[in-house]
Short mmCIF file of all heavy atoms in Angstrom, two decimals:
data_model
loop_
_atom_site.label_atom_id
_atom_site.label_comp_id
_atom_site.label_asym_id
_atom_site.label_seq_id
_atom_site.Cartn_x
_atom_site.Cartn_y
_atom_site.Cartn_z
N SER C 1 155.67 127.38 70.50
CA SER C 1 155.95 125.98 70.83
C SER C 1 154.78 125.12 70.40
O SER C 1 153.62 125.45 70.65
CB SER C 1 156.17 125.81 72.34
OG SER C 1 157.32 126.50 72.76
N THR C 2 155.11 124.02 69.74
CA THR C 2 154.10 123.05 69.35
C THR C 2 154.54 121.65 69.75
O THR C 2 155.74 121.40 69.95
CB THR C 2 153.84 123.08 67.84
OG1 THR C 2 155.07 122.83 67.15
CG2 THR C 2 153.27 124.41 67.39
N TYR C 3 153.58 120.77 69.84
CA TYR C 3 153.87 119.40 70.25
C TYR C 3 152.86 118.49 69.57
O TYR C 3 151.69 118.83 69.47
CB TYR C 3 153.75 119.28 71.78
CG TYR C 3 154.35 118.03 72.36
CD1 TYR C 3 155.69 117.97 72.67
CD2 TYR C 3 153.56 116.91 72.63
CE1 TYR C 3 156.25 116.83 73.22
CE2 TYR C 3 154.10 115.78 73.19
CZ TYR C 3 155.44 115.74 73.49
OH TYR C 3 155.98 114.62 74.04
N TYR C 4 153.35 117.33 69.09
CA TYR C 4 152.49 116.42 68.33
C TYR C 4 152.60 115.00 68.84
O TYR C 4 153.66 114.55 69.29
CB TYR C 4 152.89 116.44 66.85
CG TYR C 4 152.69 117.77 66.17
CD1 TYR C 4 153.72 118.70 66.11
CD2 TYR C 4 151.47 118.10 65.58
CE1 TYR C 4 153.55 119.92 65.49
CE2 TYR C 4 151.28 119.31 64.96
CZ TYR C 4 152.32 120.22 64.91
OH TYR C 4 152.14 121.43 64.31
N ALA C 5 151.51 114.30 68.72
CA ALA C 5 151.55 112.86 68.94
C ALA C 5 152.35 112.23 67.81
O ALA C 5 152.33 112.71 66.67
CB ALA C 5 150.13 112.29 68.96
N ASP C 6 153.05 111.15 68.11
CA ASP C 6 153.88 110.50 67.10
C ASP C 6 153.06 110.08 65.89
O ASP C 6 153.55 110.10 64.76
CB ASP C 6 154.57 109.28 67.71
CG ASP C 6 155.69 109.67 68.66
OD1 ASP C 6 156.14 110.82 68.62
OD2 ASP C 6 156.09 108.81 69.47
N SER C 7 151.81 109.72 66.11
CA SER C 7 150.97 109.19 65.04
C SER C 7 150.63 110.24 63.99
O SER C 7 150.20 109.88 62.89
CB SER C 7 149.69 108.60 65.63
OG SER C 7 148.98 109.59 66.35
N VAL C 8 150.79 111.51 64.31
CA VAL C 8 150.42 112.55 63.35
C VAL C 8 151.59 113.44 62.93
O VAL C 8 151.43 114.32 62.08
CB VAL C 8 149.28 113.45 63.91
CG1 VAL C 8 148.09 112.59 64.34
CG2 VAL C 8 149.78 114.31 65.06
N LYS C 9 152.75 113.22 63.49
CA LYS C 9 153.92 114.04 63.15
C LYS C 9 154.19 113.98 61.66
O LYS C 9 154.18 112.90 61.06
CB LYS C 9 155.15 113.55 63.92
CG LYS C 9 155.25 114.07 65.33
CD LYS C 9 156.52 113.57 65.99
CE LYS C 9 156.59 114.02 67.43
NZ LYS C 9 157.77 113.47 68.14
N GLY C 10 154.43 115.15 61.08
CA GLY C 10 154.73 115.22 59.65
C GLY C 10 153.49 115.27 58.78
O GLY C 10 153.60 115.53 57.58
N ARG C 11 152.32 115.02 59.36
CA ARG C 11 151.07 115.05 58.58
C ARG C 11 150.14 116.17 59.05
O ARG C 11 149.44 116.76 58.25
CB ARG C 11 150.34 113.72 58.71
CG ARG C 11 151.12 112.53 58.20
CD ARG C 11 150.26 111.27 58.13
NE ARG C 11 149.76 110.87 59.45
CZ ARG C 11 148.46 110.72 59.74
NH1 ARG C 11 147.55 110.96 58.82
NH2 ARG C 11 148.09 110.35 60.95
N PHE C 12 150.13 116.43 60.34
CA PHE C 12 149.24 117.44 60.91
C PHE C 12 150.05 118.65 61.34
O PHE C 12 151.20 118.53 61.78
CB PHE C 12 148.50 116.90 62.13
CG PHE C 12 147.47 115.84 61.85
CD1 PHE C 12 147.34 115.24 60.61
CD2 PHE C 12 146.60 115.44 62.85
CE1 PHE C 12 146.40 114.27 60.35
CE2 PHE C 12 145.64 114.47 62.63
CZ PHE C 12 145.55 113.88 61.36
N THR C 13 149.43 119.83 61.24
CA THR C 13 150.06 121.07 61.70
C THR C 13 149.05 121.88 62.50
O THR C 13 147.95 122.16 62.01
CB THR C 13 150.55 121.91 60.52
OG1 THR C 13 151.48 121.15 59.73
CG2 THR C 13 151.26 123.17 61.02
N ILE C 14 149.45 122.25 63.70
CA ILE C 14 148.60 123.10 64.54
C ILE C 14 149.10 124.53 64.45
O ILE C 14 150.31 124.79 64.37
CB ILE C 14 148.59 122.60 66.01
CG1 ILE C 14 147.55 123.37 66.83
CG2 ILE C 14 149.97 122.69 66.64
CD1 ILE C 14 147.32 122.78 68.23
N SER C 15 148.17 125.46 64.43
CA SER C 15 148.52 126.88 64.40
C SER C 15 147.42 127.67 65.10
O SER C 15 146.36 127.13 65.41
CB SER C 15 148.70 127.36 62.96
OG SER C 15 147.49 127.22 62.23
N ARG C 16 147.69 128.94 65.34
CA ARG C 16 146.67 129.76 65.97
C ARG C 16 146.78 131.20 65.48
O ARG C 16 147.88 131.66 65.11
CB ARG C 16 146.79 129.71 67.50
CG ARG C 16 148.03 130.33 68.10
CD ARG C 16 148.16 129.99 69.58
NE ARG C 16 147.11 130.62 70.39
CZ ARG C 16 146.84 130.28 71.65
NH1 ARG C 16 147.53 129.30 72.23
NH2 ARG C 16 145.90 130.91 72.33
N ASN C 17 145.66 131.88 65.50
CA ASN C 17 145.60 133.29 65.17
C ASN C 17 144.92 133.98 66.35
O ASN C 17 143.70 133.93 66.49
CB ASN C 17 144.79 133.50 63.88
CG ASN C 17 144.78 134.94 63.43
OD1 ASN C 17 144.84 135.86 64.24
ND2 ASN C 17 144.73 135.14 62.13
N ASN C 18 145.72 134.59 67.20
CA ASN C 18 145.16 135.18 68.42
C ASN C 18 144.28 136.39 68.12
O ASN C 18 143.37 136.70 68.90
CB ASN C 18 146.28 135.55 69.39
CG ASN C 18 146.92 134.34 70.03
OD1 ASN C 18 146.29 133.26 70.13
ND2 ASN C 18 148.16 134.45 70.43
N ALA C 19 144.53 137.05 67.01
CA ALA C 19 143.69 138.20 66.64
C ALA C 19 142.27 137.73 66.29
O ALA C 19 141.31 138.49 66.45
CB ALA C 19 144.30 138.93 65.45
N LYS C 20 142.17 136.48 65.84
CA LYS C 20 140.86 135.92 65.49
C LYS C 20 140.34 134.95 66.54
O LYS C 20 139.30 134.31 66.33
CB LYS C 20 140.94 135.23 64.14
CG LYS C 20 141.23 136.15 62.97
CD LYS C 20 141.18 135.41 61.65
CE LYS C 20 141.39 136.36 60.48
NZ LYS C 20 141.32 135.65 59.17
N ASN C 21 141.08 134.80 67.63
CA ASN C 21 140.67 133.85 68.67
C ASN C 21 140.41 132.46 68.11
O ASN C 21 139.41 131.81 68.46
CB ASN C 21 139.43 134.35 69.42
CG ASN C 21 139.75 135.37 70.49
OD1 ASN C 21 140.87 135.89 70.56
ND2 ASN C 21 138.78 135.68 71.33
N THR C 22 141.28 132.00 67.25
CA THR C 22 141.05 130.73 66.56
C THR C 22 142.31 129.89 66.54
O THR C 22 143.41 130.42 66.33
CB THR C 22 140.55 130.98 65.13
OG1 THR C 22 139.37 131.77 65.15
CG2 THR C 22 140.24 129.66 64.43
N VAL C 23 142.14 128.61 66.73
CA VAL C 23 143.23 127.65 66.57
C VAL C 23 142.83 126.68 65.46
O VAL C 23 141.66 126.36 65.30
CB VAL C 23 143.53 126.92 67.90
CG1 VAL C 23 142.33 126.11 68.37
CG2 VAL C 23 144.75 126.04 67.78
N TYR C 24 143.83 126.24 64.71
CA TYR C 24 143.58 125.41 63.54
C TYR C 24 144.33 124.09 63.65
O TYR C 24 145.36 123.98 64.32
CB TYR C 24 144.06 126.13 62.27
CG TYR C 24 143.44 127.49 62.07
CD1 TYR C 24 144.13 128.63 62.46
CD2 TYR C 24 142.18 127.64 61.49
CE1 TYR C 24 143.59 129.90 62.29
CE2 TYR C 24 141.63 128.90 61.32
CZ TYR C 24 142.33 130.02 61.71
OH TYR C 24 141.79 131.27 61.54
N LEU C 25 143.83 123.11 62.95
CA LEU C 25 144.54 121.85 62.78
C LEU C 25 144.46 121.46 61.31
O LEU C 25 143.41 121.06 60.82
CB LEU C 25 143.95 120.74 63.65
CG LEU C 25 144.73 119.43 63.64
CD1 LEU C 25 146.09 119.61 64.31
CD2 LEU C 25 143.95 118.31 64.33
N GLN C 26 145.57 121.63 60.62
CA GLN C 26 145.67 121.23 59.22
C GLN C 26 146.05 119.76 59.18
O GLN C 26 147.10 119.38 59.71
CB GLN C 26 146.71 122.07 58.48
CG GLN C 26 146.91 121.67 57.04
CD GLN C 26 145.69 121.94 56.17
OE1 GLN C 26 145.06 122.99 56.28
NE2 GLN C 26 145.35 120.99 55.31
N MET C 27 145.23 118.96 58.56
CA MET C 27 145.45 117.51 58.51
C MET C 27 145.64 117.08 57.07
O MET C 27 144.73 117.22 56.24
CB MET C 27 144.25 116.78 59.13
CG MET C 27 143.92 117.25 60.54
SD MET C 27 142.62 116.26 61.32
CE MET C 27 141.24 116.66 60.27
N ASN C 28 146.83 116.57 56.77
CA ASN C 28 147.16 116.10 55.43
C ASN C 28 147.44 114.60 55.46
O ASN C 28 147.67 114.02 56.53
CB ASN C 28 148.39 116.84 54.91
CG ASN C 28 148.18 118.33 54.78
OD1 ASN C 28 147.07 118.80 54.50
ND2 ASN C 28 149.25 119.09 54.96
N SER C 29 147.44 114.01 54.29
CA SER C 29 147.71 112.57 54.16
C SER C 29 146.89 111.77 55.15
O SER C 29 147.39 110.89 55.86
CB SER C 29 149.21 112.30 54.38
OG SER C 29 150.00 113.03 53.47
N LEU C 30 145.62 112.04 55.18
CA LEU C 30 144.74 111.40 56.15
C LEU C 30 144.63 109.90 55.91
O LEU C 30 144.66 109.43 54.76
CB LEU C 30 143.37 112.04 56.13
CG LEU C 30 143.30 113.39 56.86
CD1 LEU C 30 142.08 114.19 56.43
CD2 LEU C 30 143.29 113.18 58.37
N LYS C 31 144.50 109.16 57.01
CA LYS C 31 144.40 107.72 56.98
C LYS C 31 143.07 107.30 57.63
O LYS C 31 142.54 108.04 58.46
CB LYS C 31 145.55 107.09 57.77
CG LYS C 31 146.93 107.52 57.32
CD LYS C 31 148.00 106.95 58.23
CE LYS C 31 149.38 107.39 57.82
NZ LYS C 31 150.43 106.86 58.73
N PRO C 32 142.57 106.14 57.30
CA PRO C 32 141.33 105.68 57.94
C PRO C 32 141.43 105.67 59.46
O PRO C 32 140.43 105.93 60.15
CB PRO C 32 141.15 104.27 57.38
CG PRO C 32 141.78 104.33 56.03
CD PRO C 32 142.98 105.24 56.21
N GLU C 33 142.61 105.41 59.99
CA GLU C 33 142.78 105.38 61.45
C GLU C 33 142.72 106.76 62.09
O GLU C 33 142.73 106.89 63.32
CB GLU C 33 144.08 104.67 61.86
CG GLU C 33 145.30 105.17 61.14
CD GLU C 33 145.66 104.31 59.93
OE1 GLU C 33 144.75 103.93 59.16
OE2 GLU C 33 146.88 104.03 59.76
N ASP C 34 142.65 107.81 61.27
CA ASP C 34 142.45 109.16 61.80
C ASP C 34 140.97 109.45 62.06
O ASP C 34 140.63 110.51 62.62
CB ASP C 34 143.00 110.21 60.83
CG ASP C 34 144.50 110.14 60.67
OD1 ASP C 34 145.20 109.97 61.69
OD2 ASP C 34 144.98 110.26 59.51
N THR C 35 140.11 108.55 61.67
CA THR C 35 138.68 108.73 61.89
C THR C 35 138.37 108.83 63.38
O THR C 35 138.75 107.96 64.17
CB THR C 35 137.89 107.57 61.28
OG1 THR C 35 138.05 107.59 59.87
CG2 THR C 35 136.40 107.67 61.62
N ALA C 36 137.71 109.91 63.76
CA ALA C 36 137.41 110.16 65.18
C ALA C 36 136.62 111.45 65.31
O ALA C 36 136.49 112.21 64.33
CB ALA C 36 138.70 110.28 65.99
N VAL C 37 136.13 111.70 66.50
CA VAL C 37 135.62 113.02 66.84
C VAL C 37 136.80 113.82 67.38
O VAL C 37 137.53 113.36 68.27
CB VAL C 37 134.50 112.95 67.90
CG1 VAL C 37 134.06 114.35 68.29
CG2 VAL C 37 133.33 112.13 67.37
N TYR C 38 137.00 115.00 66.82
CA TYR C 38 138.13 115.84 67.20
C TYR C 38 137.65 116.98 68.10
O TYR C 38 136.66 117.66 67.78
CB TYR C 38 138.81 116.41 65.96
CG TYR C 38 139.68 115.40 65.26
CD1 TYR C 38 139.12 114.32 64.58
CD2 TYR C 38 141.07 115.49 65.31
CE1 TYR C 38 139.92 113.37 63.96
CE2 TYR C 38 141.87 114.55 64.68
CZ TYR C 38 141.29 113.49 64.01
OH TYR C 38 142.09 112.55 63.40
N TYR C 39 138.35 117.17 69.20
CA TYR C 39 138.01 118.18 70.18
C TYR C 39 139.17 119.16 70.35
O TYR C 39 140.33 118.76 70.38
CB TYR C 39 137.75 117.54 71.54
CG TYR C 39 136.63 116.53 71.58
CD1 TYR C 39 136.87 115.20 71.32
CD2 TYR C 39 135.34 116.93 71.90
CE1 TYR C 39 135.85 114.26 71.37
CE2 TYR C 39 134.31 116.01 71.96
CZ TYR C 39 134.58 114.68 71.69
OH TYR C 39 133.56 113.76 71.74
N CYS C 40 138.83 120.44 70.49
CA CYS C 40 139.86 121.37 70.92
C CYS C 40 139.65 121.67 72.40
O CYS C 40 138.54 121.51 72.94
CB CYS C 40 139.86 122.64 70.10
SG CYS C 40 138.47 123.73 70.35
N ALA C 41 140.72 122.05 73.04
CA ALA C 41 140.69 122.26 74.48
C ALA C 41 141.70 123.34 74.87
O ALA C 41 142.68 123.56 74.15
CB ALA C 41 141.00 120.96 75.21
N ALA C 42 141.47 123.95 76.02
CA ALA C 42 142.33 125.04 76.49
C ALA C 42 142.81 124.76 77.90
O ALA C 42 142.07 124.24 78.74
CB ALA C 42 141.55 126.37 76.46
N ARG C 43 144.07 125.11 78.16
CA ARG C 43 144.63 124.95 79.50
C ARG C 43 145.39 126.21 79.88
O ARG C 43 145.93 126.91 79.01
CB ARG C 43 145.55 123.73 79.57
CG ARG C 43 146.75 123.76 78.67
CD ARG C 43 147.54 122.47 78.75
NE ARG C 43 148.29 122.33 79.99
CZ ARG C 43 148.90 121.20 80.36
NH1 ARG C 43 148.85 120.13 79.58
NH2 ARG C 43 149.57 121.16 81.48
N ARG C 44 145.46 126.47 81.16
CA ARG C 44 146.13 127.69 81.64
C ARG C 44 147.62 127.50 81.82
O ARG C 44 148.38 128.47 81.79
CB ARG C 44 145.50 128.11 82.98
CG ARG C 44 144.03 128.49 82.89
CD ARG C 44 143.52 129.05 84.21
NE ARG C 44 142.10 129.39 84.14
CZ ARG C 44 141.14 128.60 84.54
NH1 ARG C 44 141.41 127.40 85.02
NH2 ARG C 44 139.88 129.00 84.45
N THR C 45 148.05 126.26 82.00
CA THR C 45 149.45 126.00 82.29
C THR C 45 150.21 125.63 81.02
O THR C 45 149.64 125.12 80.06
CB THR C 45 149.59 124.86 83.31
OG1 THR C 45 148.90 123.71 82.81
CG2 THR C 45 148.98 125.27 84.64
N PHE C 46 151.52 125.86 81.04
CA PHE C 46 152.36 125.49 79.90
C PHE C 46 152.97 124.12 80.16
O PHE C 46 153.70 123.95 81.12
CB PHE C 46 153.46 126.52 79.67
CG PHE C 46 154.32 126.19 78.49
CD1 PHE C 46 153.84 126.37 77.21
CD2 PHE C 46 155.60 125.68 78.66
CE1 PHE C 46 154.61 126.04 76.10
CE2 PHE C 46 156.39 125.36 77.56
CZ PHE C 46 155.90 125.54 76.27
N PRO C 47 152.67 123.16 79.30
CA PRO C 47 153.16 121.80 79.54
C PRO C 47 154.56 121.55 79.02
O PRO C 47 155.07 122.30 78.18
CB PRO C 47 152.15 120.95 78.76
CG PRO C 47 151.74 121.84 77.63
CD PRO C 47 151.81 123.24 78.14
N VAL C 48 155.15 120.50 79.54
CA VAL C 48 156.47 120.07 79.09
C VAL C 48 156.40 118.60 78.74
O VAL C 48 155.87 117.79 79.51
CB VAL C 48 157.54 120.28 80.19
CG1 VAL C 48 158.89 119.74 79.71
CG2 VAL C 48 157.66 121.76 80.53
#
């Protein structure tokens, strides 16, 4: 299951490799408004 903010739908893709303990964010068609500090975060619960 994946979920995206409307502002990045169709441009960004999130994925993970549990064998490598790594999550990725592929960002394409970047815009100046994408400029920011990007943080990853972990939660124990499954959101809806």
Side-chain angles (χ1 to χ4, degrees):
S1 295
T2 57
Y3 194 85
Y4 296 92
D6 287 343
S7 59
V8 305
K9 278 181 183 176
R11 299 190 298 123
F12 290 11
T13 302
I14 188 171
S15 62
R16 67 190 293 166
N17 184 329
N18 288 335
K20 295 184 176 181
N21 279 12
T22 303
V23 62
Y24 304 97
L25 186 68
Q26 178 66 43
M27 306 186 295
N28 298 328
S29 302
L30 282 161
K31 305 175 181 179
E33 50 264 43
D34 294 318
T35 295
V37 177
Y38 283 71
Y39 300 89
C40 70
R43 61 184 287 170
R44 297 186 181 96
T45 55
F46 181 74
V48 177

